[in-house]
Amino acid sequence: NAGVTQTPKFQVLKTGQSMTLQCAQDMNHEYMSWYRQDPGMGLRLIHYSVGAGITDQGEVPNGYNVSRSTTEDFPLRLLSAAPSQTSVYFCASSYSIDYEQYFGPGTRLTVT
Amino acid sequence: GESVGLHLPTLSVQEGDNSIINCAYSNSASDYFIWYKQESGKGPQFIIDIRSNMDKRQGQRVTVLLNKTVKHLSLQIAATQPGDSAVYFCAEPSGSNDYKLSFGAGTTVTVRA
């Protein structure tokens, strides 16, 4: 199993540009989520999904969209990038609600 | 509101000594706590979890203690090794949804040779 994969590893955007961060898992996990991690802070939940076709907002959803058309994939879209979205983004998946979450390697995003 | 926090942002430990990392939480209704380890440049990795009906749980070289009276949990690492150098996070469910985890800011553990 590859586990949770994320692409790209690094990305630089200009303010106002849009892009999609990709996340995929091959463990047939129902639950997937996106977090951002900023210096000196823990991970903050952006959006999550409890299954294909079902998504919900986390703690900091503004400026981000998600969709879950398949069990495997959970892309995160930045519609109009802002410098405040400069962060490291992690995708995670788990088998069920109270099972451990497996994290991807992260995407380091810089918005200038 | 609910919050999860760690007492100290950094911890320096001599190789071979035991490490103790502390975490305070404010949501007395939380029934599940998790510890994650994050090495430099990598995603967080699950270490151990504990449910609120337990006071202690042991894993391989790690022990988590939960004190519900003072809303405190700790992670103990026995015989700390260089590979234990990382940032450690405690996390708890945010509100009534167990899947929405709330993370503390993390403690950076540095192991001295």
Side-chain angles (χ1 to χ4, degrees):
Chain A
N1 285 351
V4 179
T5 58
Q6 293 183 237
T7 57
K9 289 191 185 313
F10 302 94
Q11 183 70 48
V12 179
L13 291 176
K14 293 189 188 312
T15 297
Q17 287 185 315
S18 63
M19 79 158 295
T20 299
L21 279 62
Q22 301 292 343
C23 174
Q25 51 90 10
D26 60 359
M27 297 173 282
N28 202 32
H29 286 170
E30 289 294 327
Y31 296 85
M32 297 186 73
S33 57
W34 276 101
Y35 294 86
R36 60 176 289 172
Q37 185 175 36
D38 301 299
M41 301 180 72
L43 288 86
R44 292 185 291 169
L45 183 65
I46 304 172
H47 285 285
Y48 68 101
S49 169
V50 299
I54 306 170
T55 63
D56 205 348
Q57 296 182 348
E59 181 184 355
V60 288
N62 292 341
Y64 308 95
N65 277 359
V66 291
S67 60
R68 185 94 179 272
S69 57
T70 66
T71 298
E72 295 78 18
D73 301 297
F74 191 43
L76 177 73
R77 281 183 289 276
L78 281 71
L79 303 176
S80 178
S84 61
Q85 293 179 305
T86 293
S87 189
V88 181
Y89 291 84
F90 290 100
C91 178
S93 74
S94 67
Y95 174 73
S96 183
I97 285 180
D98 52 1
Y99 278 67
E100 65 177 276
Q101 294 192 32
Y102 293 82
F103 284 81
T107 294
R108 185 174 293 275
L109 175 68
T110 302
V111 183
T112 61
Chain B
E2 295 90 357
S3 66
V4 178
L6 289 165
H7 290 309
L8 293 173
T10 62
L11 179 67
S12 181
V13 182
Q14 185 70 39
E15 182 178 356
D17 287 351
N18 296 336
S19 304
I20 299 176
I21 306 165
N22 296 305
C23 182
Y25 64 94
S26 60
N27 183 8
S28 57
S30 291
D31 61 358
Y32 179 60
F33 302 90
I34 315 103
W35 282 98
Y36 284 91
K37 171 186 180 183
Q38 186 177 23
E39 297 176 63
S40 181
K42 297 184 178 180
Q45 181 182 14
F46 173 90
I47 302 173
I48 192 169
D49 60 4
I50 187 168
R51 299 222 170 254
S52 61
N53 61 353
M54 304 171 70
D55 297 323
K56 177 180 180 180
R57 190 173 187 204
Q58 289 184 293
Q60 188 175 13
R61 279 200 310 116
V62 295
T63 301
V64 57
L65 300 177
L66 176 63
N67 185 331
K68 296 179 285 294
T69 301
V70 295
K71 291 186 283 189
H72 177 272
L73 71 158
S74 65
L75 178 70
Q76 301 179 2
I77 305 173
T80 309
Q81 302 170 358
D84 295 326
S85 291
V87 180
Y88 290 81
F89 296 96
C90 60
E92 63 173 334
S94 176
S96 60
N97 186 324
D98 282 348
Y99 190 66
K100 296 175 68 174
L101 293 179
S102 176
F103 284 78
T107 290
T108 300
V109 173
T110 302
V111 181
R112 305 188 306 271

